[in-house]
Amino acid sequence: MKKPTKILYIYAIALVMAGMLAGCGDKTNDGANDEDLKSNSSLESAAEETANDGIETSTEGSAQSESDSTASENSAGDKEDNETLSQYSSQQIEYARVWLQLGPNQDLDELYVRHIPAGTPLNPEDETSADYPEDVIQLAGSRLADGSVTYKGNGDGTVNVYNVPLRWDGQYPAGEKFYSDIIENTKQVSIEPGEDEKVIELIEKLIEE
């Protein structure tokens, strides 16, 4: 009886030890699994944050790039608009604006500019002609049919317009009164800015004598 009892005792001890070893193994495995899960979860979170940061950065960068591009285009456009007439002199702009408003023919090949000093006879072919009391500008096309505009700029957006032809036809001498009436009936006209594109087209046709 002693021998079977001893065997049973040893067997019982073996079972207990086996159970303990199994428990330790499960605990170790569970612990490892928990740590792995925690580690994997942390890595996944970090990866997601990195990805999200990358997306946000990319989106912000794209938005910034579009904003910079738009600002650059607007700046270039504004600059172009502001400098449309800046490359020309105030006198050139005046000539073009005067003709644009008062010129008989707008379809010109060339626009001639003649400076006539004060004291010059209105009609050099007539000895009875009165003289211009001030310096004037005479604008004319390349053809007689284009007509002409003779004026004095006042520097305030207005001009004094002289009703004189480009070529004098008629019976001469006409008499001093005829010419003095022209001078006395000079009209002051306010010149409008006009459209820049049309003003530039005329400026490009200017030929100063």
Side-chain angles (χ1 to χ4, degrees):
M1 294 296 295
K2 290 182 179 181
K3 188 173 181 180
T5 301
K6 186 176 181 181
I7 292 173
L8 290 173
Y9 179 74
I10 293 172
Y11 181 71
I13 292 174
L15 288 177
V16 172
M17 292 182 65
M20 292 176 64
L21 290 173
C24 291
D26 291 341
K27 183 177 181 181
T28 302
N29 291 334
D30 291 343
N33 291 337
D34 290 343
E35 292 297 327
D36 289 342
L37 289 175
K38 290 180 180 179
S39 177
N40 290 337
S41 178
S42 298
L43 290 174
E44 290 175 0
S45 297
E48 290 177 359
E49 291 178 0
T50 302
N52 290 336
D53 289 344
I55 292 172
E56 291 176 359
T57 301
S58 176
T59 303
E60 291 175 358
S62 177
Q64 182 64 34
S65 177
E66 291 180 2
S67 177
D68 291 344
S69 176
T70 301
S72 177
E73 291 176 0
N74 290 339
S75 177
D78 292 341
K79 184 177 181 181
E80 183 178 351
D81 291 341
N82 292 335
E83 294 182 355
T84 299
L85 293 175
S86 65
Q87 57 187 313
Y88 303 107
S89 70
S90 59
Q91 280 295 317
Q92 290 175 316
I93 295 172
E94 178 186 282
Y95 303 150
R97 285 176 173 169
V98 169
W99 188 266
L100 184 62
Q101 183 171 333
L102 303 176
N105 181 24
Q106 297 297 314
D107 186 18
L108 296 171
D109 295 327
E110 297 169 324
L111 181 57
Y112 288 87
V113 181
R114 179 188 174 199
H115 297 266
I116 302 175
T120 301
L122 274 68
N123 181 3
E125 304 300 325
D126 189 349
E127 60 184 11
T128 64
S129 173
D131 299 335
Y132 284 105
E134 56 189 353
D135 295 342
V136 298
I137 302 292
Q138 187 176 72
L139 304 176
S142 57
R143 299 164 297 185
L144 189 62
D146 292 332
S148 65
V149 177
T150 303
Y151 74 95
K152 163 66 176 177
N154 297 318
D156 59 358
T158 66
V159 297
N160 299 331
V161 181
Y162 289 79
N163 185 25
V164 297
L166 182 61
R167 186 176 68 184
W168 295 87
D169 293 324
Q171 304 243 338
Y172 302 106
E176 294 182 3
K177 186 176 184 308
F178 174 78
Y179 296 103
S180 61
D181 285 345
I182 292 177
I183 294 173
E184 290 175 4
N185 290 315
T186 298
K187 294 182 180 180
Q188 187 177 82
V189 178
S190 295
I191 300 300
E192 301 296 328
E195 296 180 15
D196 287 358
E197 292 182 2
K198 293 182 178 180
V199 171
I200 290 173
E201 287 179 6
L202 286 171
I203 290 176
E204 292 175 348
K205 296 178 180 181
L206 290 175
I207 297 176
E208 293 198 47
E209 298 180 349

